[in-house]
Amino acid sequence: MSTPLLWRVLTAVDQGVVGLSGRLEVTGDIPADLRGRPLLLASNHIGNLDPFVLIAACRRIGVAPRFLLAGGLLDAPVLGPLLRGSGHLRVDRAAADVGDAYHRTVEALRRGGDPIALYPEGRISLDPGLWPERGKTGAARLALSGDIPVVPVSQWGAHEAVYWGNTHVNGWQDAKPYVTSYVRGMLRRPTFKVHFGKPVDLSGLEDGKPGDARRAHERIMRAITAGLVPLRIDEPDLPRFHDPTRPTTGKSPWRPE
């Protein structure tokens, strides 16, 4: 599964955008023996800019992941054709063909090439401390289905670049929080920290064995959280940056004691 030319161009553009938005710091790496093989990158989700930061971090270490994306993004005008042409994969959680989407993703993984990136949480964390939320077992099920390695990716700082904003954007008043917060972020230039951890140990777990998908999910989420701790060592409880638009109705079961 080679990287589409369009996606290579877009990742270069993305790197420029992230460079204008803040300072990128990348630690860790993807082991050489996992490159070019089926691989999942499982990341925490802290803000609207963090997918762009993740892409830039991956480009810095020499990989160009494809993403599992909601169907709404792939159907959007202008953006949708670009994403589809870049080889990203569709997932419609409420659709009748969710099983087919799962099998398509498994087949794409087995073909190897570029890693597939996804957010086990499924949304930007609404935990008051911005620690990872509980999430779902999709990444774990994909990993167990084909003995596919999972590299945990931990992010911090991207939440300072753009506000959480609104659920729907129907006009300037809805878009204003995104625009004004991004301009202020560009002037402040926050530091975007991304850490690629060691592959998650999923030994002893089997596809289809009752409870093992949940156990695999817990290992993945704990690995992401472990990598996040040193990135926010001076912000162990609440983020210093306050986003007045982000609800704090979530709860993290992974928050370190």
Side-chain angles (χ1 to χ4, degrees), residues 125 127-132 156 159-160 193 225-241 246 252 254-257:
S125 175
D127 174 69
L130 212 51
W131 291 97
W156 191 246
H159 60 291
E160 299 185 23
K193 302 177 183 179
T225 304
L228 181 59
V229 170
L231 301 186
R232 51 177 299 180
I233 194 70
D234 55 346
E235 301 175 73
D237 297 314
L238 299 176
R240 279 195 304 264
F241 181 81
R246 184 174 70 91
S252 171
W254 319 115
R255 184 185 186 280
E257 297 297 333

Side-chain angles (χ1 to χ4, degrees), residues 142-194:
L142 286 170
L144 294 180
S145 69
D147 194 23
I148 296 166
V150 180
V151 168
V153 184
S154 307
Q155 294 203 62
W156 191 246
H159 60 291
E160 299 185 23
V162 184
Y163 279 171
W164 182 87
N166 301 284
T167 305
H168 301 288
V169 178
N170 297 311
W172 167 244
Q173 287 304 314
D174 293 333
K176 185 177 178 180
Y178 300 105
V179 176
T180 56
S181 62
Y182 181 66
V183 171
R184 287 195 296 267
M186 289 178 67
L187 296 174
R188 193 175 61 253
R189 292 189 59 75
T191 299
F192 307 138
K193 302 177 183 179
V194 182

Side-chain angles (χ1 to χ4, degrees), residues 7-50:
W7 186 228
R8 293 201 297 270
V9 171
L10 291 177
T11 59
V13 173
D14 172 86
Q15 189 173 42
V17 170
V18 171
L20 289 172
S21 306
R23 298 177 293 273
L24 177 62
E25 295 181 359
V26 180
T27 54
D29 205 341
I30 294 175
D33 63 338
L34 295 185
R35 291 173 179 258
R37 294 177 47 194
L39 179 66
L40 285 170
L41 302 179
S43 175
N44 63 318
H45 202 0
I46 57 173
N48 289 305
L49 194 73
D50 72 45

